């Protein structure tokens, strides 16, 4: 099932928040878009859980509103006042109708997790397809306090090591979702390209 980007068209800076219906209706990240709860309610009658890739402000700005509206459980790596379940590296969690493995992927954020199934990768900000810096394989910025380019490179390698060859879609925290093209790039190629760019250790943006 293709996730619904419930923050699509937002007028504020936000992450992509992904809604997956099914046996376990799940929101991956909450974003910062006012009224996102109404968008969610347009698609599902109930929300079982919110799963966080990490707790940067653009990913959790509307979290309390979502939890209040739907009385959903909160799954996260780091402590949070409303966390109901902790997730660690290697844990398995149901998102929608599918089982995903959590991969600890710090570098952009110390509490960052990515989630991979046999078909899809929710990569948060550790790797994105396009973000204005690169159009076909990019990575989260690492120049701010608490961030680490070295850790991010190791995280990309960890994702590549644990990525099933059957994964054909990547849903990142920013930019467009990526779907493998039989005549072009696959998900692994995009991540490898992002890793190669990160390994240059050059500033990603002019203000870094």
């Amino acid at each position: 099932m293709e996730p619904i980007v419930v923050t699509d068209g937002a007028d504020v800076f936000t992450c992509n928040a992904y809604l997956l219906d099914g046996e376990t209706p799940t929101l991956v990240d909450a974003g910062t878009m006012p009224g996102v709860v109404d968008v969610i309610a347009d698609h599902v009658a109930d929300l079982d859980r919110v799963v966080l890739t990490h707790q940067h402000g653009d990913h959790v700005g509307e979290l309390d509103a979502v939890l209040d509206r739907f009385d959903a459980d909160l799954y996260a790596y780091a402590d949070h006042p409303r966390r109901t379940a902790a997730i660690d590296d290697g844990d398995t969690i149901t998102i929608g109708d599918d089982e995903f493995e959590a991969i600890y992927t710090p570098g952009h954020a110390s509490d960052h997790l990515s989630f991979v199934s046999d078909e899809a990768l929710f990569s948060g900000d550790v790797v994105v397809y396009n973000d204005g810096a690169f159009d076909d394989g990019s990575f989260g910025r690492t120049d701010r306090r608490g961030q680490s380019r070295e850790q991010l490179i190791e995280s990309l390698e960890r994702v590549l090591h644990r990525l099933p060859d059957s994964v054909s879609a990547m849903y990142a925290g920013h930019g467009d979702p990526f779907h493998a093209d039989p005549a072009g790039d696959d998900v692994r190629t995009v991540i490898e390209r992002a890793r190669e760019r990160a390994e240059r250790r050059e500033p990603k943006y002019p203000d870094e």
Side-chain angles (χ1 to χ4, degrees):
M1 177 180 295
E2 183 71 9
I4 300 165
V5 185
V6 293
T7 51
D8 189 36
D11 293 328
V12 298
F13 179 69
T14 181
C15 75
N16 294 325
Y18 296 100
L19 176 65
L20 293 95
D21 199 357
E23 182 178 347
T24 309
T26 303
L27 185 69
V28 179
D29 291 328
T32 60
M33 188 182 81
V36 70
V37 292
D38 296 322
V39 179
I40 296 169
D42 286 341
H43 295 282
V44 295
D46 192 22
L47 188 67
D48 184 87
R49 61 190 57 177
V50 178
V51 176
L52 296 182
T53 60
H54 61 297
Q55 296 186 40
H56 282 174
D58 56 320
H59 289 252
V60 300
E62 287 294 304
L63 178 60
D64 283 337
V66 172
L67 296 177
D68 289 343
R69 175 74 170 267
F70 295 99
D71 192 29
D73 289 326
L74 176 62
Y75 289 71
Y77 177 87
D79 288 338
H80 186 281
R82 303 188 68 173
R83 186 179 72 175
T84 51
I87 319 173
D88 207 343
D89 183 70
D91 288 348
T92 299
I93 183 170
T94 302
I95 297 176
D97 286 326
D98 297 314
E99 296 295 307
F100 285 76
E101 179 188 4
I103 306 174
Y104 182 49
T105 46
H108 175 73
S110 61
D111 65 332
H112 200 291
L113 292 172
S114 301
F115 301 94
V116 65
S117 71
D118 289 338
E119 298 180 356
L121 170 68
F122 288 95
S123 60
D125 290 359
V126 70
V127 55
V128 304
Y129 182 64
N130 52 6
D131 61 1
F134 301 108
D135 291 333
D136 53 3
S138 192
F139 55 92
R141 66 186 307 158
T142 58
D143 60 304
R144 295 175 175 172
R145 185 175 180 178
Q147 298 179 332
S148 167
R149 179 69 64 91
E150 298 307 317
Q151 284 188 338
L152 182 134
I153 293 169
E154 292 173 359
S155 292
L156 292 173
E157 292 172 348
R158 189 175 302 116
V159 172
L160 287 168
H161 179 69
R162 291 159 66 174
L163 186 78
D165 290 338
S166 54
V167 170
S168 60
M170 184 176 80
Y171 304 102
H174 300 278
D176 297 321
F178 172 77
H179 297 87
D181 181 353
D185 289 342
D186 58 16
V187 173
R188 183 173 297 276
T189 299
V190 171
I191 300 172
E192 288 174 342
R193 188 178 293 129
R195 181 190 60 185
E196 290 168 1
R197 287 169 168 159
E199 286 175 338
R200 297 173 191 167
R201 277 112 175 144
E202 299 171 350
K204 180 180 173 185
Y205 296 110
D207 61 341
E208 288 190 26

